[in-house]
Amino acid sequence: MSKQLIKLRVNGEQYELAVPPNKLLLDVLREDLGLTGTKRGCDDSSCGACSVLVDGVPMLACVALAASYQDCELTTVEGLGTLDALHPVQSSWGDAGGAQCGFCTSGFLISTKALLDRNPHPSLDEIREALSANLCRCTGYMQIYESVKLAIERAAAAKAAGAGS
Amino acid sequence: MAQHSIIGKPLAMIESGAKVTGLGKYADDLSVPGMLIGRILHSPHAHAVIRSIDSSAAEALPGVKAVATGKDAPRPYGILPIGHDECVFTKDKARYIGDNVAAVAATSAEIAEQALDLLRVDYEVLPAWFDPLLSTEAAEHWLFADKPRNIEKEYHHNFGSVDEGFAQAAFVREQRYFAGEVNHAAMEPHSTLAIWEPDGRLTVHSSTQVPYYLHRTLAEVLEMPMSQIRVIKPLIGGGFGGKSEVIPIEIAAGVLAKKAKRPVKITYTREEVFLAHRGRPITVVDMKVGLTRDGKITAVAARVVQDGGAYCGYGPVTVLYSGALLGALYDIPNVRYDGFRVLTNKPACGAMRGHGTVNVRFAFESMLDDLAREAGLDPAEVRRRNLLKAPCITVNGLRVTSYGLPECIEKVVERSGWNAKRGKLPYGKGIGIACSHYVSGAANPIIRSNIPHTTVHIKIDRDAAVTVFTGASEIGQGSDTMHVQIAAEILGVRPARIKLVAADTELTPIDLGSYSSRVTFMAGNACLEAAKNMRAQILEAIAAKYKMDPALLDIRDDNVISLDDSRLHIAFDDAIATALEFRGALVAKGTYAPPEEARGGKHKGAGVGPSPSYSYSAQTVEVSVDTETGQVRVEKIIAAHDCGRALNPLTVEGQVEGSVYMGLGQALQEEMVWDNGRLMNPSLLEYKIATTLETPEIESIIVESIDPEGPFGAKEAGEGSLAATIPAVANAIYDAVGVRINSLPITPEKVLAALRVGASFSSPSSSCSSRGSDGGAK
Amino acid sequence: MTMPAFRLERPRSLADAVSILATHGPDAMILAGGTDVVPNLQMKLFSPRVLVDIKPLAKNAQLASIDWSPANGLRIGALATLTSICESPLIREKFPVLAAAVATIAGPLQRNMGTVGGNLCLETRCQWYNQSDFWRKSLGGCLKKDGPICHVAPGGKFCWAAWSGDSAPALLTLDAEIEITGPQGARRLPLAQFYKNDGMDRIALGRDELLTAVHVPARMAGRRGNYHKLRVRNSIDYPLAGVAVSMHVDSRGICRDARLALTAVNPAPLLVKEACEWLAGQPASPELIDRVAQQAIRTAKPLTTSGSTPVYRRDMVRVFTRRALEESWRSADGK
């Protein structure tokens, strides 16, 4: 199968690469761009480990053809923050126990980021609903909720600090 | 050391930065130049002689660099020395749908898959055995010629006199319980990257909980010296036992790499994860328990049949755990156990969180609930009346050094409002209680030897960084952070000063692996000893230089200080510079081996069950039952877990909540469904691990019994709470609607069926499918 | 699992899309959100030579928007995402049965990708069919794909794979029509006539056509309605059975008009036609509700296409029908 040239915008960077038309966005991210933070946990779009933001909306990279997402702004976990400047959802996930094995973490962070961008103060029910397509086998979800709550507090504190300065 | 500065404080896992940024590498994230992709050919038949394999067309396909079959790796292996019955590619016959027949390494996954289609295998299909109860009646076509009637192992234990015990009982119940098969379903599918090095050595990066056993097995099967093989464990996306024995993919990648002289990566599809399996077996438990009028358990007798699947794996250990921990949670004077591990033509079962203890605990705790009711006693009270009095030795020779179960029961009773709720909630709502326990590491290693179970090295050189070398395997449970905490606490330094090198067989000393909840207790103790040893070296050097008594020195907050009035105050970096004088780098070692008296009795099978210490758990579960649909909604779970001492409360709570979550899945919705040896639901779409929406609030309560031998008093936290959840759910359903479900998972259909007959639901004894008889056309 | 090879077309206009479909006929397959098609491709259930990704057409507002007017009723472009539908205040207010049903489809991630057109054109599902290439080969295939027999009903030559969409039953209770565009332009078809109740040949869509919109008549706006779905998990899962009800109840509590539809218990989503007839002009009564529920069971023909048993699924059709009707009457009463 011949490759075709596609352009992808990922984490603010523009990429041009040749891929076969049947190549999934998940595989292009992991294999062609080296962005291995996005994971494959299943083969039937049912675990959420591959979640990425497409124009700010969380979607499954495992059922997306890369060539179909050329006109979009894509964000992976690597684009949320850096080790020096973690996004509040990232730092809170570490501090409140949201990540045990860490394999589902990037998907949860993507879904949580999208939730908090739309709704900075979600109720517990809204958090549960927004995260209900991301499976975690380690935590029983309690520390994930704690992590979301901590992220909300930190985001609010950062905002207040920013407003005060 | 009464006041701890790091121990007991919630600490984020040291690798959390790698996890939350996506920068941490799991096995499938690794790739190296020249890497080939491997794929495995699985048997489409449940039981078939392999007459021949023609690989010529596959080998001729451009891009194919190696094809491997049974003759390329003929030596059998297995996790237990008594169970070397697997070959990486089966040589004689296939024993389950999915058995490994051959493998291909090619320049792309597509080519590798095409090559699999070109492999011509001539099979002679044999009759197959799927039902464990029928398999033992087989007169012929056994899975292994040397395992008559397909019985892998059987054990018969008799402690005290159960006949006398039952004679003393006022109430005796007998009941059959059934538990369906479940899979670990760790989020990370197994993956192995095997690199053939230019010097003829092999480096294997693999998603393993047991690098040491993998190291050994690779050497055996590849017929290479261990010294030529290096196993490295990258980040692991969950184990739960599914990566605690050598998985075919790990050997297959090595065989292909050796053959192709290239790096080869194989990553399982989710379906292959289910076919590799090693999960909790279908279990049939015939339980009999006697109770006196005042609620004392007089005897327990259990006959357990476990459907082990096609290979031995951990099977004998699983069936021994079922017996060993059956009678050791409470003070029970008379225990009889008959355990059978049976072979069937399905994927091999193995160790899964709560190994061997879970399904018998479901049966026992369900029955204890019924007996309490018969005796007119509160189920919580019956449990209180049968407590051990630690320290003690149980009737089957298990040494109990600390026992927080009484406090666990009190905590959940109080916190849940048990006394106001039990038997008093409106119809349809109910509360249940149950208890469980687990080992803090097996006191006896899988491979008998006198090598310590763990060795930890610590090195400090001129940079004054403290480097801890441990073979222990972080799998998401907090192993790495635990080492850092212990080393930092003892050495009086910030955790950031500790560098951890873990689970790399070339660099780190042996640790047996992350299984049987052994890491905190064993590697923790080894790390503690190594750190104490290092601390003594530093203080002795400073004491010598300043002509002081080392006993009057301490290290706190990265400074060596004096405890007398000499006001000595030396920054850690300077102290290290001093200590290095005339010595060079400081090295220290700690080891751990369980004490002789913790290693159990002498009867056949006594090696499994003994542990240096045991964790305890009590739980209450509240449910509401929809009596028209049979659907059970779990409202709240409170779990109190005795972990000895919580070195890191954040991690302990996470482990307890995760255990409860997994138990809840097995209780209500998880089951591998079989049809003539074919797994009907090999996917995360159809194998129903719970989402956020079915998972109730789980409240964890830490109980600290301070074990005399655990590091800082710590015991295990990662498995012991799983088993209690399941019977607590069953007992809550009984409290809610008065029906007893003796079959897992407790599906709405079973509840509804029981409600309609107004009694109990057990699966039909003739069949080991817990689905209804019309659950699949044959 | 790897993807089969195909050529990818990304038409920028509806006319282009139709022309590509017309050129390639049975070799072409339409791709929208991908949540159903892509896993099925990986399982090698289909092997199209050309995959026609119609997502770029969403730039054409007509194809992805949700529009309402009292004169023309509701129109939803086929590429409207399921999220946009279940979160639409308009649909929540005026067509609650649709919002309720769509909110149960899979999970939020799938709803962000999936489209209403895709959900109305889902492939039928069966536990003997939705399996990997290896799995199906080890079985010897099934009637629907590569095999001689249906494992659900081995004696027959009919495929019982179940219709497993959630939006279709809701739209059936709203007398929805669909707009289909082909070489001859657009045509309208009652949704009820779109489904063929055949597991192998599920929908009446020509190989050169695509579904472009859904229309709900204005007279159905404001009806009470709800959707009850049987599933193991409250997210991610396809339905094992589903009951949708829409009802117009007057101020005296009399049902003026009602529709009842079932899903996941036949190879098509089906209206229970008798319900419409029996309920009209009646006040709520346990006897009537029970009679309709019994009729729903007669319409439902679940077989062993999924992990749950046919007996239980039929049972739940009865319970859910009763609950759906009771709730509709209750909410209409304002109680």
Side-chain angles (χ1 to χ4, degrees):
Chain A
M1 197 175 12
S2 58
K3 293 183 175 181
Q4 62 185 76
L5 206 59
I6 66 166
K7 291 178 179 175
L8 287 179
R9 196 167 167 76
V10 185
N11 301 332
E13 301 281 345
Q14 189 72 40
Y15 297 92
E16 194 170 272
L17 57 171
V19 299
N22 67 353
K23 193 152 188 179
L24 297 170
L25 178 60
L26 175 60
D27 293 321
V28 170
L29 292 172
R30 291 177 54 80
E31 295 169 8
D32 298 72
L33 303 184
L35 297 170
T36 55
T38 307
K39 306 298 187 197
R40 173 180 270 115
C42 71
D43 301 297
D44 51 11
S45 68
S46 53
C47 80
C50 66
S51 304
V52 297
L53 294 176
V54 178
D55 295 327
V57 178
M59 295 192 189
L60 299 161
C62 74
V63 290
L65 294 177
S68 294
Y69 289 81
Q70 299 188 64
D71 310 317
C72 311
E73 187 72 45
L74 301 171
T75 308
T76 69
V77 66
E78 291 91 344
L80 295 184
T82 63
L83 280 169
D84 291 340
L86 292 176
H87 187 279
V89 299
Q90 292 175 304
S91 66
S92 69
W93 233 261
D95 293 344
Q100 283 187 27
C101 85
F103 202 79
C104 71
T105 300
S106 61
F108 270 94
L109 296 182
I110 290 290
S111 285
T112 303
K113 163 92 165 55
L115 168 69
L116 299 186
D117 284 350
R118 285 182 54 186
N119 178 2
H121 297 284
S123 66
L124 180 59
D125 281 347
E126 287 170 331
I127 296 170
R128 289 175 107 108
E129 171 61 34
L131 301 182
S132 67
N134 293 92
L135 294 174
C136 169
R137 191 57 162 166
C138 292
T139 59
Y141 303 112
M142 294 302 113
Q143 292 186 333
I144 284 180
Y145 305 145
E146 292 304 313
S147 301
V148 177
K149 288 176 197 163
L150 184 59
I152 293 167
E153 286 169 23
R154 286 183 177 172
K159 200 174 165 191
S165 64
Chain B
M1 299 287 284
Q3 278 302 103
H4 299 129
S5 57
I6 293 156
I7 293 298
K9 305 282 193 299
L11 188 69
M13 288 200 212
I14 60 164
E15 72 284 5
S16 59
K19 287 171 178 169
V20 301
T21 54
L23 300 175
K25 297 291 181 232
Y26 299 76
D28 187 52
D29 300 338
L30 304 170
S31 43
V32 291
M35 184 176 83
L36 303 172
I37 300 297
R39 286 285 190 271
I40 294 175
L41 182 74
H42 301 284
S43 167
H45 304 294
H47 203 184
V49 172
I50 296 173
R51 288 206 196 100
S52 65
I53 302 176
D54 177 0
S55 59
S56 53
E59 281 164 14
L61 186 71
V64 171
K65 300 299 175 189
V67 177
T69 63
K71 64 182 183 329
D72 293 301
R75 292 175 73 159
Y77 68 93
I79 189 69
L80 303 181
I82 57 166
H84 282 208
D85 62 354
E86 279 180 80
C87 290
V88 59
F89 308 117
T90 185
K91 292 177 298 187
D92 52 348
K93 59 180 184 175
R95 292 182 177 82
Y96 65 94
I97 295 174
D99 206 349
N100 304 282
V101 176
V104 172
T107 51
S108 76
E110 286 79 7
I111 294 172
E113 288 186 8
Q114 283 170 34
L116 292 186
D117 285 341
L118 296 174
L119 286 166
R120 293 281 163 264
V121 185
D122 184 14
Y123 294 102
E124 177 192 336
V125 176
L126 301 173
W129 306 102
F130 304 124
D131 183 315
L133 301 183
L134 299 178
S135 187
T136 58
E137 292 166 18
E140 55 180 351
H141 298 301
W142 300 327
L143 276 79
F144 294 91
D146 62 348
K147 299 286 181 193
R149 293 186 301 118
N150 292 324
I151 295 175
E152 173 74 51
K153 275 283 175 191
E154 59 184 286
Y155 295 96
H156 304 279
H157 292 163
N158 217 327
F159 303 103
S161 168
V162 290
D163 293 338
E164 279 176 31
F166 287 126
Q168 291 158 9
F171 310 99
V172 176
R173 291 183 86 96
E174 284 184 77
Q175 177 66 49
R176 169 164 290 188
Y177 297 84
F178 173 88
E181 193 159 332
V182 290
N183 181 267
H184 324 80
M187 293 311 297
E188 178 202 25
H190 304 61
S191 179
T192 302
L193 167 60
I195 301 169
W196 190 257
E197 305 285 2
D199 61 1
R201 294 171 187 242
L202 183 71
T203 303
V204 174
H205 302 260
S206 191
S207 57
T208 178
Q209 300 175 233
V210 287
Y212 171 62
Y213 294 133
L214 175 57
H215 192 190
R216 286 182 65 113
T217 306
L218 280 165
E220 281 170 25
V221 178
L222 271 58
E223 301 182 48
M224 291 169 69
M226 280 178 81
S227 59
Q228 300 291 298
I229 297 173
R230 176 183 190 181
V231 173
I232 303 171
K233 179 206 70 68
L235 286 178
I236 300 300
F240 316 113
K243 296 160 183 167
S244 71
E245 61 182 291
V246 175
I247 297 295
I249 195 175
E250 304 183 282
I251 308 288
V255 170
L256 289 169
K258 188 180 177 193
K259 210 168 176 191
K261 302 283 183 280
R262 295 266 294 266
V264 176
K265 182 164 75 179
I266 317 181
T267 301
Y268 275 156
T269 64
R270 180 54 64 177
E271 180 179 29
E272 288 180 300
V273 173
F274 280 101
L275 295 178
H277 189 35
R278 317 285 156 162
R280 200 179 327 281
I282 286 176
T283 308
V284 180
V285 182
D286 290 312
M287 181 69 73
K288 182 177 178 183
V289 179
L291 195 75
T292 64
R293 214 162 281 287
D294 60 356
K296 270 296 290 175
I297 301 165
T298 59
V300 52
R303 184 179 188 278
V304 171
V305 177
Q306 292 176 349
D307 179 356
Y311 294 101
C312 176
Y314 271 110
V317 174
T318 316
V319 80
L320 282 170
Y321 265 126
S322 293
L325 267 63
L326 163 69
L329 175 58
Y330 304 110
D331 181 17
I332 304 176
N334 307 297
V335 177
R336 184 168 69 217
Y337 176 69
D338 299 288
F340 300 83
R341 184 74 171 192
V342 175
L343 293 155
T344 57
N345 291 105
K346 292 183 288 189
C349 293
M352 180 169 162
R353 204 173 198 174
H355 191 185
T357 68
V358 173
N359 295 338
V360 285
R361 186 55 48 200
F362 159 63
F364 183 93
E365 296 286 312
S366 296
M367 180 164 276
L368 194 57
D369 208 63
D370 288 340
L371 281 165
R373 193 166 300 101
E374 206 173 331
L377 294 167
D378 177 335
E381 181 57 25
V382 164
R383 287 167 172 84
R384 284 189 200 105
R385 292 187 188 180
N386 289 282
L387 297 170
L388 292 166
K389 287 169 188 63
C392 62
I393 306 279
T394 67
V395 68
N396 62 332
L398 307 185
R399 187 191 66 147
V400 176
T401 50
S402 60
Y403 188 68
L405 185 62
E407 191 181 342
C408 290
I409 294 172
E410 292 324 309
K411 283 267 160 64
V412 297
V413 162
E414 184 193 327
R415 183 73 188 139
S416 67
W418 170 264
N419 294 330
K421 287 177 179 166
R422 201 267 311 178
K424 295 166 190 158
L425 295 170
Y427 181 74
K429 287 187 180 295
I431 186 167
I433 191 168
C435 302
S436 56
H437 63 152
Y438 199 62
V439 299
S440 301
N444 300 294
I446 292 169
I447 301 159
R448 290 291 174 111
S449 95
N450 289 319
I451 298 174
H453 293 221
T454 307
T455 301
V456 170
H457 294 164
I458 299 179
K459 182 206 78 172
I460 307 181
D461 211 333
R462 187 64 188 86
D463 61 1
V466 177
T467 310
V468 176
F469 296 85
T470 177
S473 294
E474 171 67 54
I475 58 170
Q477 86 281 43
S479 167
D480 285 358
T481 307
M482 180 274 296
H483 285 81
V484 168
Q485 284 186 283
I486 288 177
E489 181 72 45
I490 297 296
L491 291 170
V493 299
R494 288 166 293 120
R497 191 183 284 276
I498 314 282
K499 289 201 273 192
L500 195 79
V501 177
D504 176 339
T505 61
E506 199 133 300
L507 303 176
T508 59
I510 293 171
D511 172 85
L512 296 182
S514 283
Y515 65 93
S516 78
S517 266
R518 54 177 296 287
V519 171
T520 293
F521 202 97
M522 299 192 177
N525 265 325
C527 186
L528 180 69
E529 185 180 290
K532 283 181 172 169
N533 179 337
M534 176 60 78
R535 181 175 180 277
Q537 289 185 47
I538 297 167
L539 295 186
E540 276 161 23
I542 300 301
K545 175 150 183 167
Y546 295 95
K547 302 196 170 28
M548 295 178 66
D549 178 356
L552 293 177
L553 294 174
D554 195 6
I555 316 176
R556 288 183 193 164
D557 302 328
D558 288 70
N559 292 295
V560 176
I561 58 167
S562 60
L563 299 173
D564 59 10
D565 53 6
S566 63
R567 294 190 183 177
L568 182 85
H569 190 282
I570 307 172
F572 190 79
D573 292 65
D574 297 334
I576 292 303
T578 299
L580 291 176
E581 285 174 9
F582 310 110
R583 280 189 196 82
L586 305 179
V587 291
K589 184 169 86 174
T591 63
Y592 180 79
E596 198 60 48
E597 56 273 25
R599 296 183 191 179
K602 299 287 177 224
H603 54 277
K604 187 187 173 210
V608 174
S611 171
S613 191
Y614 299 85
S615 73
Y616 297 90
S617 179
Q619 291 172 38
T620 54
V621 170
E622 287 183 60
V623 301
S624 58
V625 180
D626 183 328
T627 55
E628 288 182 328
T629 64
Q631 288 168 328
V632 174
R633 195 174 78 214
V634 179
E635 311 273 3
K636 177 153 189 183
I637 300 181
I638 300 172
H641 184 104
D642 166 24
C643 65
R645 182 191 294 281
L647 301 181
N648 186 345
L650 184 70
T651 320
V652 170
E653 286 173 5
Q655 287 299 307
V656 172
E657 289 158 11
S659 296
V660 167
Y661 164 83
M662 203 172 270
L664 187 58
Q666 187 183 351
L668 292 176
Q669 58 193 54
E670 289 179 32
E671 182 181 23
M672 293 168 75
V673 180
W674 300 100
D675 185 276
N676 288 311
R678 185 170 280 106
L679 182 57
M680 298 302 293
N681 54 344
S683 66
L684 291 184
L685 179 59
E686 297 300 342
Y687 182 83
K688 308 290 188 182
I689 74 173
T691 75
T692 54
L693 298 179
E694 302 83 60
T695 307
E697 183 189 353
I698 304 166
E699 182 179 330
S700 49
I701 299 172
I702 294 174
V703 169
E704 296 186 308
S705 61
I706 314 297
D707 187 79
E709 295 175 18
F712 299 96
K715 306 191 284 190
E716 83 87 40
E719 305 193 53
S721 276
L722 191 153
T725 308
I726 302 171
V729 169
N731 295 342
I733 291 169
Y734 191 97
D735 190 51
V737 292
V739 300
R740 171 62 61 187
I741 311 297
N742 295 319
S743 168
L744 299 178
I746 302 173
T747 61
E749 304 183 51
K750 292 177 189 172
V751 174
L752 199 56
L755 283 166
R756 287 191 177 151
V757 298
S760 63
F761 182 92
S762 302
S763 76
S765 57
S766 60
S767 160
C768 274
S769 165
S770 64
R771 300 276 168 172
S773 56
D774 49 357
K778 301 293 183 283
Chain C
M1 273 194 251
T2 55
M3 291 283 280
F6 48 75
R7 204 173 92 208
L8 180 66
E9 294 282 358
R10 303 191 72 217
R12 297 281 156 172
S13 73
L14 194 52
D16 284 355
V18 168
S19 126
I20 292 166
L21 289 172
T23 306
H24 297 284
D27 289 338
M29 186 163 186
I30 299 170
L31 171 74
T35 54
D36 185 38
V37 167
V38 173
N40 288 350
L41 283 169
Q42 287 181 285
M43 289 178 175
K44 315 291 190 291
L45 295 177
F46 327 124
S47 45
R49 286 172 55 190
V50 179
L51 203 60
V52 186
D53 176 14
I54 59 170
K55 281 189 293 296
L57 305 183
K59 289 205 162 52
N60 173 348
Q62 284 279 301
L63 277 162
S65 64
I66 298 171
D67 300 297
W68 157 258
S69 77
N72 299 322
L74 176 72
R75 181 187 183 283
I76 308 174
L79 287 167
T81 65
L82 298 168
T83 299
S84 72
I85 292 170
C86 65
E87 292 186 353
S88 157
L90 176 97
I91 290 175
R92 285 183 174 194
E93 184 206 326
K94 290 189 162 43
F95 306 97
V97 63
L98 180 58
V102 171
T104 72
I105 297 171
L109 292 164
Q110 292 83 359
R111 291 196 295 273
N112 287 341
M113 304 183 82
T115 65
V116 68
N119 198 251
L120 291 174
C121 295
L122 276 184
E123 188 49 71
T124 52
R125 297 185 64 82
C126 177
Q127 59 177 342
W128 304 94
Y129 171 71
N130 293 94
Q131 301 283 1
S132 73
D133 197 36
F134 161 75
W135 195 102
R136 285 179 290 106
K137 277 182 183 158
S138 84
L139 177 71
C142 74
L143 197 59
K144 189 166 161 71
K145 176 72 180 162
D146 300 335
I149 59 165
C150 169
H151 300 276
V152 168
K157 279 291 165 196
F158 186 77
C159 168
W160 291 95
W163 175 262
S164 303
D166 297 295
S167 63
L171 286 164
L172 284 175
T173 70
L174 297 172
D175 290 357
E177 291 189 345
I178 50 172
E179 182 184 294
I180 292 172
T181 304
Q184 272 73 49
R187 65 184 171 106
R188 296 259 288 244
L189 181 73
L191 183 63
Q193 291 174 28
F194 187 50
Y195 296 108
K196 297 161 82 170
N197 208 17
D198 178 340
M200 299 250 263
D201 183 16
R202 65 199 193 284
I203 48 174
L205 187 70
R207 279 295 187 171
D208 52 0
E209 294 182 315
L210 65 164
L211 195 159
T212 41
V214 184
H215 294 266
V216 178
R219 64 186 154 77
M220 304 307 275
R223 282 182 166 226
R224 295 295 160 180
N226 55 66
Y227 179 67
H228 287 252
K229 174 171 176 172
L230 179 66
R231 50 182 162 174
V232 177
R233 300 180 290 193
N234 294 320
S235 183
I236 302 177
D237 289 358
Y238 283 94
L240 299 166
V243 176
V245 163
S246 82
M247 196 187 280
H248 175 207
V249 182
D250 70 16
S251 54
R252 293 172 303 140
I254 305 295
C255 169
R256 304 315 320 174
D257 189 36
R259 302 278 184 284
L260 172 73
L262 312 180
T263 191
V265 286
N266 296 93
L270 291 179
L271 279 165
V272 181
K273 296 203 175 70
E274 296 80 0
C276 177
E277 195 181 306
W278 297 350
L279 291 165
Q282 301 297 320
S285 78
E287 296 73 25
L288 175 60
I289 288 172
D290 191 53
R291 192 165 153 237
V292 174
Q294 290 302 334
Q295 188 59 31
I297 289 187
R298 279 190 279 276
T299 306
K301 296 197 168 39
L303 292 169
T304 55
T305 53
S306 67
S308 186
T309 65
V311 171
Y312 183 70
R313 285 154 69 204
R314 274 163 51 96
D315 241 3
M316 290 308 102
V317 165
R318 181 179 56 79
V319 172
F320 288 175
T321 299
R322 212 195 60 228
R323 288 182 176 182
L325 292 173
E326 285 171 356
E327 272 174 39
S328 297
W329 252 300
R330 242 195 337 263
S331 58
D333 284 351
K335 283 177 199 163

